[in-house]
Amino acid sequence: MASSSSSESTVEEMRNWLELPPEVMATILQRLGAVNILTVAQTVCTTWRNICKDPAMWRTIDMQNSIDYPDMEYALEKIAKHAIDRSCGQLIDINIGYYCTDELLQYITDRTSYLRRLQLVCCYNISDEGFSEAAKKLPLLEELHLYDCSLSKEAIGTVGRCCPLLRSFKFNNHRFSRPQIGSDEEALAIAENMPELRHLQLFGNKITNNGLEAILDGCPHLESLDLRHCLKISLEGNMGKRLHEQIKDLRRPSDSIADYEFDSQIHDDDSFDDENPSEFSDIDVLSDDDEYYEFSGASDFSDYEGLAFD
């Protein structure tokens, strides 16, 4: 009897989940991220499958945590493209990891005219030319957050000119164990081309006081400025006074990095190895036309080998 009661309780719990309003269930499912939605969640039942196919579910696409699935490396770009297709042109916010390329960036910008926020992490396969071409198609972009992405001053300038609504810009680098040669090329590109900035983060940048002064002159609306681990800056005297008067939220070069969004490794110099994760196996994932299973109970991605996007 106890076993039967336990079984009935489990069934009742499953029924309660399915009876949730679709908009509530969509909010819950979105927290899983694109990878889990497309490879696991949409296979659970017909109701979840239908919710996961709603374009509104894909206005925001988060694939930042995709690095947690190393054995899926070769499928990640494929998953990203399918998620973008699911948005049906409604995409406004996307977060992409190390596997992003010029081709994928072009795929994104060719399929939405409404992108407001773009975040890229460790995307060394994106060229200046590819990024510049993408920027020309993002006139509504308000937030651009780049972590360990290598772009030239020319590409930064193109972003500023082509994205006049840009309010938040993060251009973050690695930390270094010893002082680097100062350089203001990137700072000057920001100062000359991003006059509407409200928020700027330059973690680990080689900016000097000259570049900082140019930013304060060229970005008069700046409210928050994060200069953590910018080792070539001195905030003594007049510079410190000006920052106090102009910037509401200031993070100084020596401030704690405990709340920094990503694990920040320390490097000795600029010659560190930037290899991306590799040597992983492939995986196939479900397409809109593939068969799915009612309460399949699959426990890991290997259960879905053999299924592929069209």
Side-chain angles (χ1 to χ4, degrees):
M1 292 295 293
S3 176
S4 175
S5 176
S6 175
S7 176
E8 290 176 1
S9 176
T10 300
V11 171
E12 184 62 31
E13 183 178 346
M14 293 170 65
R15 286 175 179 167
N16 289 339
W17 273 97
L18 292 175
E19 291 170 0
L20 284 173
E23 60 274 14
V24 174
M25 183 56 66
T27 300
I28 295 172
L29 291 173
Q30 282 178 321
R31 295 178 180 273
L32 298 176
V35 176
N36 278 326
I37 291 173
L38 290 174
T39 59
V40 179
Q42 71 170 10
T43 70
V44 170
C45 64
T46 305
T47 300
W48 285 19
R49 175 76 168 175
N50 291 334
I51 293 173
C52 291
K53 292 176 68 175
D54 184 351
M57 273 278 292
W58 304 96
R59 297 184 70 200
T60 295
I61 296 174
D62 183 6
M63 293 189 65
Q64 175 183 309
N65 66 346
S66 56
I67 198 169
D68 296 336
Y69 312 113
D71 56 346
M72 296 183 65
E73 182 191 13
Y74 299 113
L76 290 176
E77 183 172 352
K78 192 175 185 180
I79 294 174
K81 288 181 177 180
H82 192 69
I84 293 163
D85 290 341
R86 286 266 179 105
S87 73
C88 297
Q90 298 183 30
L91 180 64
I92 61 172
D93 181 347
I94 189 165
N95 188 343
I96 295 288
Y98 62 90
Y99 51 89
C100 193
T101 61
D102 286 351
E103 179 188 355
L104 181 53
L105 197 55
Q106 180 180 348
Y107 197 89
I108 295 170
T109 56
D110 282 347
R111 285 160 178 79
T112 178
S113 301
Y114 306 104
L115 201 66
R116 302 292 201 279
R117 182 179 184 273
L118 173 63
Q119 178 167 300
L120 303 174
V121 182
C122 297
C123 295
Y124 295 105
N125 293 320
I126 298 178
S127 68
D128 286 341
E129 295 77 10
F131 199 92
S132 296
E133 287 302 311
K136 296 174 183 178
K137 303 175 184 177
L138 300 175
L140 301 181
L141 194 68
E142 298 177 2
E143 299 181 27
L144 176 60
H145 298 169
L146 306 177
Y147 298 83
D148 294 341
C149 297
S150 179
L151 290 179
S152 69
K153 60 180 181 180
E154 289 80 12
I156 294 174
T158 299
V159 170
R161 292 189 296 274
C162 296
C163 306
L165 301 181
L166 196 65
R167 299 293 186 269
S168 177
F169 184 49
K170 295 183 179 182
F171 190 64
N172 296 336
N173 213 319
H174 305 277
R175 289 193 296 152
F176 296 93
S177 60
R178 51 193 175 194
Q180 303 296 294
I181 299 174
S183 173
D184 290 319
E185 289 187 345
E186 296 159 352
L188 292 177
I190 293 170
E192 295 169 3
N193 298 283
M194 299 182 180
E196 298 300 323
L197 279 186
R198 267 63 174 177
H199 311 284
L200 176 62
Q201 186 177 72
L202 295 173
F203 187 96
N205 199 273
K206 299 177 185 179
I207 184 176
T208 72
N209 277 35
N210 291 333
L212 179 55
E213 185 173 9
I215 287 176
L216 294 177
D217 289 338
C219 307
H221 306 293
L222 206 58
E223 300 174 3
S224 69
L225 178 59
D226 190 341
L227 300 170
R228 281 177 292 176
H229 226 270
C230 294
L231 304 180
K232 303 303 293 184
I233 286 179
S234 173
L235 302 186
E236 302 297 328
N238 290 334
M239 179 58 73
K241 180 180 179 182
R242 182 175 181 184
L243 285 169
H244 177 73
E245 294 174 348
Q246 187 170 340
I247 305 300
K248 296 179 181 178
D249 182 10
L250 175 66
R251 307 297 294 271
R252 299 172 179 271
S254 59
D255 283 354
S256 170
I257 63 170
D259 62 345
Y260 185 62
E261 296 93 325
F262 297 94
D263 180 28
S264 179
Q265 300 179 1
I266 298 178
H267 300 279
D268 288 334
D269 52 44
D270 287 328
S271 62
F272 60 86
D273 188 357
D274 287 329
E275 290 183 358
N276 290 324
S278 59
E279 302 301 326
F280 299 124
S281 61
D282 199 358
I283 185 171
D284 293 323
V285 285
L286 284 169
S287 74
D288 285 338
D289 298 324
D290 285 319
E291 293 297 328
Y292 56 93
Y293 303 92
E294 194 83 11
F295 298 106
S296 62
S299 59
D300 57 50
F301 298 120
S302 63
D303 291 341
Y304 299 100
E305 291 180 357
L307 298 175
F309 288 130
D310 290 331

